[in-house]
């Protein structure tokens, strides 16, 4: 809403400034420069969307027929500018999509590396579990042997005790 351009956008209508202040909006070209006497500003709108703003400076008084010029040019200008802004927006979306695809690729690679590491750790754990199970089986076998020896020793003690009783 700032300035004439903002006012034209805000009100969505053409503005006509008939007495342009000195030093305001100087017009320059390859042929020279000068101070416009009158200015016309109009939003270039299509489908209720502003795509550009048309600003015309005149070195003479604007004729009544020329006052319709911005309104007649507005839609044509918007229709001409809209594909460029759409293309710019599509390019931005494409870049964003490509960046997201790259990020997803990096995440996928990281997940694959983590998965490989977890799989390797799983294999190590399986090997450790197999070793523990083998050790457990060996311990059970050793316990069984020790129990058998203990039983034999107990039998020998009992026999020794009986023999000592007989000898006394």
């Amino acid at each position: 809403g700032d300035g004439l351009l903002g006012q034209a956008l805000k009100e969505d209508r053409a503005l006509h400034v008939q007495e342009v202040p000195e030093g305001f909006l100087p017009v320059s070209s390859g042929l020279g420069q000068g101070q416009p006497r009158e200015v016309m500003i109009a939003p270039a709108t299509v489908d209720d969307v502003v795509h550009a703003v048309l600003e015309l400076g005149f070195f003479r008084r604007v004729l009544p027929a020329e006052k319709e010029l911005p309104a007649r040019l507005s839609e044509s200008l918007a229709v001409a500018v809209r594909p460029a802004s759409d293309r710019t927006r599509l390019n931005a979306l494409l870049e964003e999509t490509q960046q997201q695809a790259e990020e997803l690729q990096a995440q996928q690679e990281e997940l694959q590396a983590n998965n490989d590491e977890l799989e390797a750790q799983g294999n190590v754990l399986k090997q450790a579990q197999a070793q523990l199970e083998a050790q457990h089986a060996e311990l059970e076998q050793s316990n069984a042997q020790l129990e058998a020896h203990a039983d034999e020793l107990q039998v020998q003690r009992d026999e020794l005790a009986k023999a000592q009783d007989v000898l006394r």
Side-chain angles (χ1 to χ4, degrees):
D2 292 341
L4 294 173
L5 185 120
Q7 184 179 350
L9 288 172
K10 185 177 177 182
E11 296 175 8
D12 194 25
R13 68 175 182 88
L15 298 179
H16 180 201
V17 179
Q18 293 178 342
E19 295 180 24
V20 177
E22 193 65 35
F24 183 78
L25 294 171
V27 175
S28 62
S29 73
L31 301 175
Q33 72 177 37
Q35 183 68 33
R37 287 184 62 192
E38 294 189 17
V39 174
M40 294 182 70
I41 302 171
T45 306
V46 67
D47 298 330
D48 295 325
V49 177
V50 177
H51 293 279
V53 176
L54 180 63
E55 190 171 6
L56 302 172
F58 294 86
F59 294 116
R60 55 171 173 70
R61 293 240 172 253
V62 176
L63 302 173
E66 295 170 330
K67 289 182 182 182
E68 296 175 18
L69 182 65
R72 284 189 275 156
L73 291 177
S74 173
E75 187 173 349
S76 298
L77 179 62
V79 167
V81 170
R82 180 173 52 182
S85 66
D86 288 348
R87 193 172 17 261
T88 301
R89 193 174 79 240
L90 284 174
N91 284 338
L93 289 172
L94 177 62
E95 285 179 21
E96 182 180 342
T97 302
Q98 288 173 338
Q99 181 180 0
Q100 288 174 348
E102 289 172 4
E103 289 172 4
L104 284 174
Q105 179 67 31
Q107 288 175 355
Q108 184 179 9
E109 289 171 3
E110 185 178 335
L111 285 173
Q112 183 62 44
N114 288 342
N115 191 31
D116 292 345
E117 184 178 335
L118 286 173
E119 190 174 328
Q121 289 175 355
N123 289 336
V124 168
L125 286 174
K126 284 179 185 176
Q127 289 174 354
Q129 183 179 3
Q131 287 176 349
L132 285 174
E133 287 175 359
Q135 288 175 353
H136 182 62
E138 287 177 17
L139 284 174
E140 283 183 353
Q141 186 178 6
S142 294
N143 280 343
Q145 289 174 351
L146 286 174
E147 282 181 26
H149 281 301
D151 290 344
E152 283 180 28
L153 285 174
Q154 188 61 42
V155 168
Q156 288 176 357
R157 274 190 213 141
D158 290 344
E159 289 175 0
L160 185 61
K162 285 179 189 176
Q164 283 178 345
D165 283 343
V166 170
L167 287 176
R168 288 191 196 154

